[in-house]
Amino acid sequence: MHPVTLKHASKTYHLDAVDVPALTDINLDIRANCFTVISGASGSGKTTLLNLIGCIDRADQGEITVAGEAVQEMPDDALSDFRARHLGFIFQNFNLLPVLTAYENIEYPLIMTQLPAAQRRQRVLELLDAVGLADRAQNLPGQLSGGQRQRVAIARALATEPKLVLADEPTANLDSRTGAAIIALMRKMQREHRTAFVFSSHDPQVQAEADDAIFLRDGRITHIERRTGAMEAAL
C-alpha cells in the first residue's frame, strides 16, 4: 500500500477578488520506505503539495489518502489527531519550543499521544543517541548550533514512529557542509526506521539523494523520476 495517494487533487487560493490556482489535477503515489523529493521553481506548488500530503491544508477537488485514510473526509479535530499519530514534520526554521530542552522537545509529541513515561524516556534517549546528541539532552535550542537544532527536529519527527515524515526545505538555513551531514542523517534514519520521507527542496544535495523525484511547474506535475525499484528502495 502506498502511504500517500492523490487522485485529481486541485487547490486554488482565493485572495480578495482574485483566484490563484496553486495545484491542478495532481495524480501521485508516494512509495513506501522511499526518500522522495518535490522539486520546482518558486511558485510551482511545492509547499502547497507538501501541505496537502501533510494534512495541513485541504484540496478543493479530488481525493487524498494518507496512511490508508481518506483525509479529505475527516473533520478538523480528527485530522489534528491523525497528524499527531501518523505524521512527522521537519521545518526549515526548526520550530523547536525555545523554553524546552532538546529532550523535552523530542518528548513533547509522545506526551500528546499519552505514551507512558517510562516508554517515553526510553524512546527519547534512543533517538538522542541516534542523532548524536545524547550529551546535549538538557540543552535549550538557543544553546545548540543550527545543525544540532535540525538533528533535534529530525528526532522529534520520528518520535511517534510515523508512517510518513515531511520536510519543507530542511537544509535551507544551513551551510553546505552542515546540510550534507543533515541529509546523510535523514537518509540513515529513513532507512533504519523504514519510513517514507517526502521533501520539498531546491538543494541539489537533497535532490541527488532521492529515490523518487517529482517535478512541478505552474501547479502541475511535469514528470516523475523513479530512480530505484520498489524492492531496492525498501532495503
Side-chain angles (χ1 to χ4, degrees):
M1 181 182 70
H2 295 294
V4 179
T5 297
L6 294 90
K7 296 181 178 178
H8 304 293
S10 297
K11 177 67 179 180
T12 297
Y13 291 105
H14 306 286
L15 305 175
D16 296 325
V18 179
D19 290 342
V20 181
L23 292 172
T24 303
D25 197 31
I26 299 295
N27 292 283
L28 176 64
D29 291 324
I30 300 295
R31 294 191 297 165
N33 307 327
C34 278
F35 204 74
T36 300
V37 177
I38 303 169
S39 296
S42 179
S44 61
K46 297 189 304 299
T47 298
T48 300
L49 179 54
L50 205 67
N51 286 345
L52 295 187
I53 293 171
C55 308
I56 294 171
D57 207 347
R58 295 181 186 267
D60 300 321
Q61 300 177 24
E63 301 175 11
I64 301 176
T65 303
V66 179
E69 298 288 339
V71 295
Q72 285 292 101
E73 309 302 323
M74 287 186 185
D76 289 344
D77 288 348
L79 196 61
S80 179
D81 183 68
F82 177 84
R83 280 196 305 269
R85 294 181 180 278
H86 297 288
L87 305 179
F89 296 89
I90 302 169
F91 299 95
Q92 178 176 331
N93 295 317
F94 319 125
N95 281 22
L96 301 179
L97 295 172
V99 298
L100 299 184
T101 64
Y103 180 102
E104 291 165 339
N105 267 284
I106 298 168
E107 182 186 36
Y108 186 74
L110 295 172
I111 294 173
M112 301 294 287
T113 63
Q114 300 182 341
L115 190 71
Q119 293 179 46
R120 291 202 309 268
R121 177 174 173 78
Q122 179 180 357
R123 179 69 176 158
V124 173
L125 292 177
E126 287 174 352
L127 286 166
L128 280 165
D129 185 62
V131 299
L133 291 176
D135 60 341
R136 296 286 187 270
Q138 298 308 314
N139 285 46
L140 295 170
Q143 299 168 323
L144 300 172
S145 69
Q148 289 171 333
R149 277 178 274 173
Q150 196 61 295
R151 287 172 181 267
V152 174
I154 293 166
R156 180 184 60 186
L158 290 165
T160 61
E161 300 181 284
K163 294 177 171 55
L164 180 67
V165 172
L166 299 110
D168 190 7
E169 298 283 359
T171 61
N173 289 336
L174 304 174
D175 63 75
S176 59
R177 183 176 178 181
T178 303
I182 290 298
I183 294 164
L185 175 62
M186 288 190 293
R187 186 52 142 157
K188 173 177 176 287
M189 299 295 278
Q190 178 260 320
R191 285 172 169 156
E192 290 180 355
H193 290 261
R194 298 178 64 81
T195 299
F197 272 54
V198 182
F199 303 86
S200 68
S201 183
H202 290 94
D203 188 342
Q205 294 182 104
V206 177
Q207 294 169 5
E209 278 293 323
D211 296 313
D212 293 344
I214 300 159
F215 295 89
L216 291 176
R217 179 184 296 165
D218 299 330
R220 295 179 181 270
I221 294 176
T222 59
H223 64 289
I224 299 173
E225 293 181 5
R226 306 289 191 186
R227 297 174 180 170
T228 61
M231 185 61 68
E232 181 184 350
L235 293 177

